[in-house]
Amino acid sequence: MLEIKNIETFYGQSQVLFGIDLKIKQGEFVTLIGRNGMGKTTTINSIMGLVKIKSGKIIFSGNQVQNWPSYKIARKGIGLVPEGRQIFPNLSVYENLEATSSNRHRNNNPWTLKKVLKLFPRLKVRLKNMGNQLSGGEQQMLAIGRALMTNPLLLVLDEATEGLAPLIKNEIWDCLNDLKSSGQSILVVDKNIKALTELADRHYIMEKGRIEWFGDSSAFNSDKEILHRYLGI
Amino acid sequence: MLGLAAVPLIADVIDEPFYTVMFSRMLILSIGAISLNLILGFGGMVSFGHAVYMGIGSYVVGIGTFHAIEDGISWMGNGLIHLTIAVVFSALTALFIGSISLRTRGVYFIMITLAFAQMFYFIAVGNDNYGGDDGLSLYTRSKFYNILDLSNDNSLYYLNFTLLIVFLYFSHRLINSRFGILIRGAKSNEKRMENIGFPVYRYRLVAFVIAGVICGIAGVLSANQTDFVSPAVMHWTRSGDLIIMVVLGGMGTLFGPVIGAVAFLFLEEFLSGITEFWQIIFGPMLVLIAIFGNGGIDGILVRLDKWWQIKK
């Protein structure tokens, strides 16, 4: 579904990504983990066309999408839940969800307002509230719901639970678990290792702009050295 | 609105036709302000050259009626032809200006729209065939076959009034449509709207053209109302007046531009009766509204209403 081959990204003169390789298959739940400042968000931004890559390839659904405008990449079927949520504060919850709804890939059982509200019942009572009147957890739910309304082939979540209360975090993880069960392909950037190892199929660990390790959850859990060396756990 | 509908009747009864003319001007500028509000208030596009479309609409009538009388080309005095040509020219001009200016942001966008407007202004100044800097007096007003003759001030007033209602309703439908929601969303976070899958530039360009067309129609009405066309109608100060009307009334609200246009002209009329230098009083009033009147007059009215509801 998504294949990243040897991408290199720069901010001005300084190189941030050094030959990143990453692969996500249909229906897989993959994580990208690492400490702060290791290049996780830059990798996501490179995939989404928010920063230009200098070399390498990004292949999504058979198309080389590297350096496409971000709206074209989104239209190909990548739904991003960005770091910091970035919901539209001047639109109501209903408008945030309904305005962005689309089913460009002819999903037989598309995400609709009704389905999203079933997934996040908290949003149902907040439909008329403006985006800036929501709590952090509700904003995160709205951000995920908004991405789902575009019926993405791949859902990308950047720091999905950052700054949320433990109970809300659990709600988000439960939701991602449901999405995984429904066959949704997911790429998550987060620091909550415990929850991620229970949910994800495979993991990529980033260190100083490089993928230093990748493997499945059982290999990840069994190697305490990896957790200590790269994640400081 | 009912009060506005009754203005010509009341003016006739008290034998003060001046009020019909004054309110007619308010309605026309309200339409102009509504069009600017679509891009400025809802879309966050601060166009400092919006009066150019009013100028285009005005010159279509001026040039049309000039040839209708001078050369006896009767169809050039037809109001429907004026409206059609004004719509086409305003749309093409907005498409041209928008396609370049919307590639920029912030102060650069303001400067480019201003530069284009001044370019059109100087084209009009240099066009001696149609009065140049002195402008062009209308020999006759637009006629819509035998159905409607705008030579009658009351007929013009009710056309203005009807079009104001039409554009208010259109504005309401547009901003609550999916298109309008996307324009409003892009105002708060353009990049985010892009990476959800919506090409913001194209959406904004469409909004820019719609706003230009509506303002062009206001220009057609304006020329008929003043019986005169001159480059001054598209001078940057006129664009500034439109911005003031929108900000004064309440940006991004449905009725704000109408309230702003009415308040602006009332204050202009009232303050100029006190002193020739009425802007000296008007300026500080604007500053106060900008600082304390969050949401303009519309915002103040909403807050007063809330306060009143709580008090009750």
Side-chain angles (χ1 to χ4, degrees), chain A residues 10-37:
Chain A
F10 288 69
Y11 287 131
Q13 295 294 313
S14 88
Q15 187 166 2
V16 183
L17 299 184
F18 299 83
I20 300 287
D21 290 302
L22 190 146
K23 215 181 226 181
I24 301 171
K25 293 181 205 145
Q26 174 69 42
E28 247 191 334
F29 191 132
V30 173
T31 70
L32 186 60
I33 45 188
R35 282 177 285 212
N36 285 340

PDB file of all heavy atoms in Angstrom, chain A residues 10-37:
ATOM      1  N   PHE A  10      15.541  17.619   3.823  1.00  0.00           N
ATOM      2  CA  PHE A  10      16.361  18.690   4.411  1.00  0.00           C
ATOM      3  C   PHE A  10      15.453  19.834   4.861  1.00  0.00           C
ATOM      4  O   PHE A  10      14.434  20.105   4.231  1.00  0.00           O
ATOM      5  CB  PHE A  10      17.328  19.258   3.358  1.00  0.00           C
ATOM      6  CG  PHE A  10      18.462  18.336   2.987  1.00  0.00           C
ATOM      7  CD1 PHE A  10      18.226  17.169   2.269  1.00  0.00           C
ATOM      8  CD2 PHE A  10      19.769  18.649   3.347  1.00  0.00           C
ATOM      9  CE1 PHE A  10      19.267  16.334   1.916  1.00  0.00           C
ATOM     10  CE2 PHE A  10      20.814  17.811   3.004  1.00  0.00           C
ATOM     11  CZ  PHE A  10      20.561  16.649   2.284  1.00  0.00           C
ATOM     12  N   TYR A  11      15.865  20.512   5.937  1.00  0.00           N
ATOM     13  CA  TYR A  11      15.292  21.817   6.266  1.00  0.00           C
ATOM     14  C   TYR A  11      16.389  22.832   5.973  1.00  0.00           C
ATOM     15  O   TYR A  11      17.349  22.941   6.745  1.00  0.00           O
ATOM     16  CB  TYR A  11      14.874  21.901   7.738  1.00  0.00           C
ATOM     17  CG  TYR A  11      13.621  21.100   8.065  1.00  0.00           C
ATOM     18  CD1 TYR A  11      13.587  20.235   9.150  1.00  0.00           C
ATOM     19  CD2 TYR A  11      12.477  21.215   7.285  1.00  0.00           C
ATOM     20  CE1 TYR A  11      12.441  19.505   9.455  1.00  0.00           C
ATOM     21  CE2 TYR A  11      11.330  20.488   7.583  1.00  0.00           C
ATOM     22  CZ  TYR A  11      11.325  19.640   8.663  1.00  0.00           C
ATOM     23  OH  TYR A  11      10.200  18.914   8.961  1.00  0.00           O
ATOM     24  N   GLY A  12      16.278  23.512   4.877  1.00  0.00           N
ATOM     25  CA  GLY A  12      17.358  24.407   4.445  1.00  0.00           C
ATOM     26  C   GLY A  12      18.603  23.572   4.150  1.00  0.00           C
ATOM     27  O   GLY A  12      18.550  22.644   3.348  1.00  0.00           O
ATOM     28  N   GLN A  13      19.695  23.899   4.828  1.00  0.00           N
ATOM     29  CA  GLN A  13      20.956  23.175   4.595  1.00  0.00           C
ATOM     30  C   GLN A  13      21.069  21.933   5.479  1.00  0.00           C
ATOM     31  O   GLN A  13      21.926  21.076   5.241  1.00  0.00           O
ATOM     32  CB  GLN A  13      22.149  24.101   4.903  1.00  0.00           C
ATOM     33  CG  GLN A  13      22.271  25.293   3.971  1.00  0.00           C
ATOM     34  CD  GLN A  13      22.593  24.884   2.544  1.00  0.00           C
ATOM     35  OE1 GLN A  13      23.477  24.068   2.308  1.00  0.00           O
ATOM     36  NE2 GLN A  13      21.857  25.426   1.582  1.00  0.00           N
ATOM     37  N   SER A  14      20.218  21.862   6.501  1.00  0.00           N
ATOM     38  CA  SER A  14      20.436  20.761   7.448  1.00  0.00           C
ATOM     39  C   SER A  14      19.583  19.537   7.101  1.00  0.00           C
ATOM     40  O   SER A  14      18.361  19.634   6.912  1.00  0.00           O
ATOM     41  CB  SER A  14      20.190  21.239   8.878  1.00  0.00           C
ATOM     42  OG  SER A  14      18.872  21.098   9.219  1.00  0.00           O
ATOM     43  N   GLN A  15      20.260  18.400   7.020  1.00  0.00           N
ATOM     44  CA  GLN A  15      19.584  17.158   6.648  1.00  0.00           C
ATOM     45  C   GLN A  15      18.889  16.573   7.872  1.00  0.00           C
ATOM     46  O   GLN A  15      19.477  16.486   8.960  1.00  0.00           O
ATOM     47  CB  GLN A  15      20.588  16.157   6.083  1.00  0.00           C
ATOM     48  CG  GLN A  15      19.912  14.919   5.536  1.00  0.00           C
ATOM     49  CD  GLN A  15      20.819  14.072   4.676  1.00  0.00           C
ATOM     50  OE1 GLN A  15      22.000  14.388   4.509  1.00  0.00           O
ATOM     51  NE2 GLN A  15      20.282  12.996   4.117  1.00  0.00           N
ATOM     52  N   VAL A  16      17.639  16.186   7.693  1.00  0.00           N
ATOM     53  CA  VAL A  16      16.850  15.656   8.814  1.00  0.00           C
ATOM     54  C   VAL A  16      16.601  14.158   8.644  1.00  0.00           C
ATOM     55  O   VAL A  16      16.659  13.403   9.615  1.00  0.00           O
ATOM     56  CB  VAL A  16      15.510  16.420   8.922  1.00  0.00           C
ATOM     57  CG1 VAL A  16      14.712  15.945  10.123  1.00  0.00           C
ATOM     58  CG2 VAL A  16      15.752  17.916   9.023  1.00  0.00           C
ATOM     59  N   LEU A  17      16.295  13.732   7.444  1.00  0.00           N
ATOM     60  CA  LEU A  17      16.066  12.302   7.199  1.00  0.00           C
ATOM     61  C   LEU A  17      17.192  11.755   6.323  1.00  0.00           C
ATOM     62  O   LEU A  17      17.564  12.348   5.312  1.00  0.00           O
ATOM     63  CB  LEU A  17      14.710  12.092   6.509  1.00  0.00           C
ATOM     64  CG  LEU A  17      13.467  12.555   7.260  1.00  0.00           C
ATOM     65  CD1 LEU A  17      12.201  12.199   6.480  1.00  0.00           C
ATOM     66  CD2 LEU A  17      13.393  11.976   8.667  1.00  0.00           C
ATOM     67  N   PHE A  18      17.705  10.578   6.747  1.00  0.00           N
ATOM     68  CA  PHE A  18      18.854   9.981   6.047  1.00  0.00           C
ATOM     69  C   PHE A  18      18.452   8.605   5.508  1.00  0.00           C
ATOM     70  O   PHE A  18      18.652   7.591   6.182  1.00  0.00           O
ATOM     71  CB  PHE A  18      20.034   9.822   7.005  1.00  0.00           C
ATOM     72  CG  PHE A  18      20.531  11.117   7.594  1.00  0.00           C
ATOM     73  CD1 PHE A  18      19.906  11.679   8.704  1.00  0.00           C
ATOM     74  CD2 PHE A  18      21.622  11.774   7.051  1.00  0.00           C
ATOM     75  CE1 PHE A  18      20.366  12.859   9.258  1.00  0.00           C
ATOM     76  CE2 PHE A  18      22.087  12.958   7.605  1.00  0.00           C
ATOM     77  CZ  PHE A  18      21.463  13.507   8.706  1.00  0.00           C
ATOM     78  N   GLY A  19      17.850   8.574   4.347  1.00  0.00           N
ATOM     79  CA  GLY A  19      17.558   7.296   3.706  1.00  0.00           C
ATOM     80  C   GLY A  19      16.545   6.430   4.448  1.00  0.00           C
ATOM     81  O   GLY A  19      16.841   5.287   4.813  1.00  0.00           O
ATOM     82  N   ILE A  20      15.369   6.974   4.656  1.00  0.00           N
ATOM     83  CA  ILE A  20      14.310   6.231   5.374  1.00  0.00           C
ATOM     84  C   ILE A  20      13.649   5.214   4.438  1.00  0.00           C
ATOM     85  O   ILE A  20      13.282   5.547   3.308  1.00  0.00           O
ATOM     86  CB  ILE A  20      13.236   7.206   5.903  1.00  0.00           C
ATOM     87  CG1 ILE A  20      13.832   8.220   6.872  1.00  0.00           C
ATOM     88  CG2 ILE A  20      12.044   6.466   6.522  1.00  0.00           C
ATOM     89  CD1 ILE A  20      14.193   7.662   8.218  1.00  0.00           C
ATOM     90  N   ASP A  21      13.504   3.989   4.924  1.00  0.00           N
ATOM     91  CA  ASP A  21      12.744   2.943   4.220  1.00  0.00           C
ATOM     92  C   ASP A  21      11.612   2.492   5.136  1.00  0.00           C
ATOM     93  O   ASP A  21      11.847   2.257   6.331  1.00  0.00           O
ATOM     94  CB  ASP A  21      13.635   1.731   3.905  1.00  0.00           C
ATOM     95  CG  ASP A  21      14.651   2.056   2.835  1.00  0.00           C
ATOM     96  OD1 ASP A  21      14.255   2.452   1.737  1.00  0.00           O
ATOM     97  OD2 ASP A  21      15.869   1.936   3.133  1.00  0.00           O
ATOM     98  N   LEU A  22      10.438   2.379   4.587  1.00  0.00           N
ATOM     99  CA  LEU A  22       9.286   1.975   5.418  1.00  0.00           C
ATOM    100  C   LEU A  22       8.216   1.371   4.509  1.00  0.00           C
ATOM    101  O   LEU A  22       8.071   1.794   3.353  1.00  0.00           O
ATOM    102  CB  LEU A  22       8.745   3.214   6.136  1.00  0.00           C
ATOM    103  CG  LEU A  22       7.705   3.097   7.223  1.00  0.00           C
ATOM    104  CD1 LEU A  22       7.936   4.168   8.289  1.00  0.00           C
ATOM    105  CD2 LEU A  22       6.302   3.269   6.683  1.00  0.00           C
ATOM    106  N   LYS A  23       7.520   0.378   5.012  1.00  0.00           N
ATOM    107  CA  LYS A  23       6.522  -0.295   4.182  1.00  0.00           C
ATOM    108  C   LYS A  23       5.275  -0.573   5.028  1.00  0.00           C
ATOM    109  O   LYS A  23       5.393  -1.009   6.179  1.00  0.00           O
ATOM    110  CB  LYS A  23       7.115  -1.626   3.722  1.00  0.00           C
ATOM    111  CG  LYS A  23       6.693  -2.044   2.331  1.00  0.00           C
ATOM    112  CD  LYS A  23       7.335  -3.375   2.006  1.00  0.00           C
ATOM    113  CE  LYS A  23       7.945  -3.374   0.637  1.00  0.00           C
ATOM    114  NZ  LYS A  23       8.544  -4.655   0.283  1.00  0.00           N
ATOM    115  N   ILE A  24       4.124  -0.326   4.447  1.00  0.00           N
ATOM    116  CA  ILE A  24       2.863  -0.679   5.130  1.00  0.00           C
ATOM    117  C   ILE A  24       1.997  -1.449   4.141  1.00  0.00           C
ATOM    118  O   ILE A  24       1.764  -0.979   3.021  1.00  0.00           O
ATOM    119  CB  ILE A  24       2.095   0.576   5.613  1.00  0.00           C
ATOM    120  CG1 ILE A  24       2.970   1.388   6.568  1.00  0.00           C
ATOM    121  CG2 ILE A  24       0.793   0.178   6.301  1.00  0.00           C
ATOM    122  CD1 ILE A  24       2.399   2.740   6.916  1.00  0.00           C
ATOM    123  N   LYS A  25       1.566  -2.639   4.573  1.00  0.00           N
ATOM    124  CA  LYS A  25       0.697  -3.434   3.698  1.00  0.00           C
ATOM    125  C   LYS A  25      -0.761  -3.144   4.009  1.00  0.00           C
ATOM    126  O   LYS A  25      -1.087  -2.601   5.065  1.00  0.00           O
ATOM    127  CB  LYS A  25       0.979  -4.926   3.914  1.00  0.00           C
ATOM    128  CG  LYS A  25       2.360  -5.348   3.450  1.00  0.00           C
ATOM    129  CD  LYS A  25       2.539  -6.831   3.683  1.00  0.00           C
ATOM    130  CE  LYS A  25       4.024  -7.173   3.825  1.00  0.00           C
ATOM    131  NZ  LYS A  25       4.275  -8.230   4.764  1.00  0.00           N
ATOM    132  N   GLN A  26      -1.612  -3.548   3.102  1.00  0.00           N
ATOM    133  CA  GLN A  26      -3.061  -3.373   3.278  1.00  0.00           C
ATOM    134  C   GLN A  26      -3.526  -3.994   4.607  1.00  0.00           C
ATOM    135  O   GLN A  26      -3.202  -5.145   4.896  1.00  0.00           O
ATOM    136  CB  GLN A  26      -3.782  -4.042   2.094  1.00  0.00           C
ATOM    137  CG  GLN A  26      -5.290  -4.087   2.193  1.00  0.00           C
ATOM    138  CD  GLN A  26      -5.897  -2.694   2.064  1.00  0.00           C
ATOM    139  OE1 GLN A  26      -5.463  -1.911   1.238  1.00  0.00           O
ATOM    140  NE2 GLN A  26      -6.880  -2.411   2.900  1.00  0.00           N
ATOM    141  N   GLY A  27      -4.234  -3.222   5.415  1.00  0.00           N
ATOM    142  CA  GLY A  27      -4.802  -3.727   6.664  1.00  0.00           C
ATOM    143  C   GLY A  27      -3.814  -3.797   7.818  1.00  0.00           C
ATOM    144  O   GLY A  27      -4.184  -4.228   8.912  1.00  0.00           O
ATOM    145  N   GLU A  28      -2.576  -3.339   7.595  1.00  0.00           N
ATOM    146  CA  GLU A  28      -1.572  -3.409   8.661  1.00  0.00           C
ATOM    147  C   GLU A  28      -1.657  -2.213   9.602  1.00  0.00           C
ATOM    148  O   GLU A  28      -2.030  -1.115   9.185  1.00  0.00           O
ATOM    149  CB  GLU A  28      -0.172  -3.423   8.039  1.00  0.00           C
ATOM    150  CG  GLU A  28       0.560  -4.726   8.249  1.00  0.00           C
ATOM    151  CD  GLU A  28       2.033  -4.609   7.861  1.00  0.00           C
ATOM    152  OE1 GLU A  28       2.384  -3.766   7.015  1.00  0.00           O
ATOM    153  OE2 GLU A  28       2.810  -5.382   8.408  1.00  0.00           O
ATOM    154  N   PHE A  29      -1.264  -2.451  10.843  1.00  0.00           N
ATOM    155  CA  PHE A  29      -1.151  -1.378  11.845  1.00  0.00           C
ATOM    156  C   PHE A  29       0.332  -1.251  12.164  1.00  0.00           C
ATOM    157  O   PHE A  29       0.927  -2.151  12.752  1.00  0.00           O
ATOM    158  CB  PHE A  29      -1.951  -1.762  13.099  1.00  0.00           C
ATOM    159  CG  PHE A  29      -2.125  -0.653  14.094  1.00  0.00           C
ATOM    160  CD1 PHE A  29      -3.375  -0.385  14.637  1.00  0.00           C
ATOM    161  CD2 PHE A  29      -1.052   0.133  14.520  1.00  0.00           C
ATOM    162  CE1 PHE A  29      -3.552   0.629  15.573  1.00  0.00           C
ATOM    163  CE2 PHE A  29      -1.219   1.140  15.448  1.00  0.00           C
ATOM    164  CZ  PHE A  29      -2.481   1.393  15.976  1.00  0.00           C
ATOM    165  N   VAL A  30       0.909  -0.147  11.745  1.00  0.00           N
ATOM    166  CA  VAL A  30       2.359   0.038  11.885  1.00  0.00           C
ATOM    167  C   VAL A  30       2.628   1.272  12.748  1.00  0.00           C
ATOM    168  O   VAL A  30       1.889   2.255  12.668  1.00  0.00           O
ATOM    169  CB  VAL A  30       3.007   0.202  10.489  1.00  0.00           C
ATOM    170  CG1 VAL A  30       4.483   0.558  10.597  1.00  0.00           C
ATOM    171  CG2 VAL A  30       2.824  -1.057   9.656  1.00  0.00           C
ATOM    172  N   THR A  31       3.682   1.192  13.554  1.00  0.00           N
ATOM    173  CA  THR A  31       4.033   2.372  14.361  1.00  0.00           C
ATOM    174  C   THR A  31       5.401   2.895  13.959  1.00  0.00           C
ATOM    175  O   THR A  31       6.252   2.141  13.483  1.00  0.00           O
ATOM    176  CB  THR A  31       4.083   2.043  15.873  1.00  0.00           C
ATOM    177  OG1 THR A  31       5.218   1.211  16.119  1.00  0.00           O
ATOM    178  CG2 THR A  31       2.825   1.348  16.333  1.00  0.00           C
ATOM    179  N   LEU A  32       5.552   4.177  14.190  1.00  0.00           N
ATOM    180  CA  LEU A  32       6.843   4.827  13.980  1.00  0.00           C
ATOM    181  C   LEU A  32       7.174   5.470  15.315  1.00  0.00           C
ATOM    182  O   LEU A  32       6.483   6.399  15.744  1.00  0.00           O
ATOM    183  CB  LEU A  32       6.700   5.876  12.873  1.00  0.00           C
ATOM    184  CG  LEU A  32       7.959   6.581  12.388  1.00  0.00           C
ATOM    185  CD1 LEU A  32       8.968   5.603  11.812  1.00  0.00           C
ATOM    186  CD2 LEU A  32       7.595   7.603  11.309  1.00  0.00           C
ATOM    187  N   ILE A  33       8.175   4.918  15.990  1.00  0.00           N
ATOM    188  CA  ILE A  33       8.451   5.418  17.338  1.00  0.00           C
ATOM    189  C   ILE A  33       9.898   5.887  17.474  1.00  0.00           C
ATOM    190  O   ILE A  33      10.752   5.539  16.665  1.00  0.00           O
ATOM    191  CB  ILE A  33       8.100   4.370  18.436  1.00  0.00           C
ATOM    192  CG1 ILE A  33       8.614   2.996  18.046  1.00  0.00           C
ATOM    193  CG2 ILE A  33       6.636   4.326  18.716  1.00  0.00           C
ATOM    194  CD1 ILE A  33       8.158   1.882  18.971  1.00  0.00           C
ATOM    195  N   GLY A  34      10.097   6.669  18.497  1.00  0.00           N
ATOM    196  CA  GLY A  34      11.426   7.222  18.734  1.00  0.00           C
ATOM    197  C   GLY A  34      11.310   8.398  19.671  1.00  0.00           C
ATOM    198  O   GLY A  34      10.206   8.887  19.916  1.00  0.00           O
ATOM    199  N   ARG A  35      12.464   8.840  20.168  1.00  0.00           N
ATOM    200  CA  ARG A  35      12.429   9.974  21.094  1.00  0.00           C
ATOM    201  C   ARG A  35      12.144  11.274  20.329  1.00  0.00           C
ATOM    202  O   ARG A  35      12.139  11.274  19.095  1.00  0.00           O
ATOM    203  CB  ARG A  35      13.763  10.066  21.839  1.00  0.00           C
ATOM    204  CG  ARG A  35      13.844   9.042  22.958  1.00  0.00           C
ATOM    205  CD  ARG A  35      15.185   9.090  23.648  1.00  0.00           C
ATOM    206  NE  ARG A  35      16.219   8.474  22.833  1.00  0.00           N
ATOM    207  CZ  ARG A  35      17.278   7.823  23.331  1.00  0.00           C
ATOM    208  NH1 ARG A  35      17.413   7.697  24.643  1.00  0.00           N
ATOM    209  NH2 ARG A  35      18.182   7.310  22.548  1.00  0.00           N
ATOM    210  N   ASN A  36      11.943  12.342  21.081  1.00  0.00           N
ATOM    211  CA  ASN A  36      11.664  13.643  20.448  1.00  0.00           C
ATOM    212  C   ASN A  36      12.824  14.073  19.549  1.00  0.00           C
ATOM    213  O   ASN A  36      13.989  13.841  19.880  1.00  0.00           O
ATOM    214  CB  ASN A  36      11.459  14.725  21.520  1.00  0.00           C
ATOM    215  CG  ASN A  36      10.110  14.598  22.180  1.00  0.00           C
ATOM    216  OD1 ASN A  36       9.193  13.984  21.630  1.00  0.00           O
ATOM    217  ND2 ASN A  36       9.987  15.130  23.389  1.00  0.00           N
ATOM    218  N   GLY A  37      12.484  14.688  18.442  1.00  0.00           N
ATOM    219  CA  GLY A  37      13.499  15.263  17.557  1.00  0.00           C
ATOM    220  C   GLY A  37      14.227  14.252  16.693  1.00  0.00           C
ATOM    221  O   GLY A  37      15.286  14.555  16.130  1.00  0.00           O
TER     222      GLY A  37
END
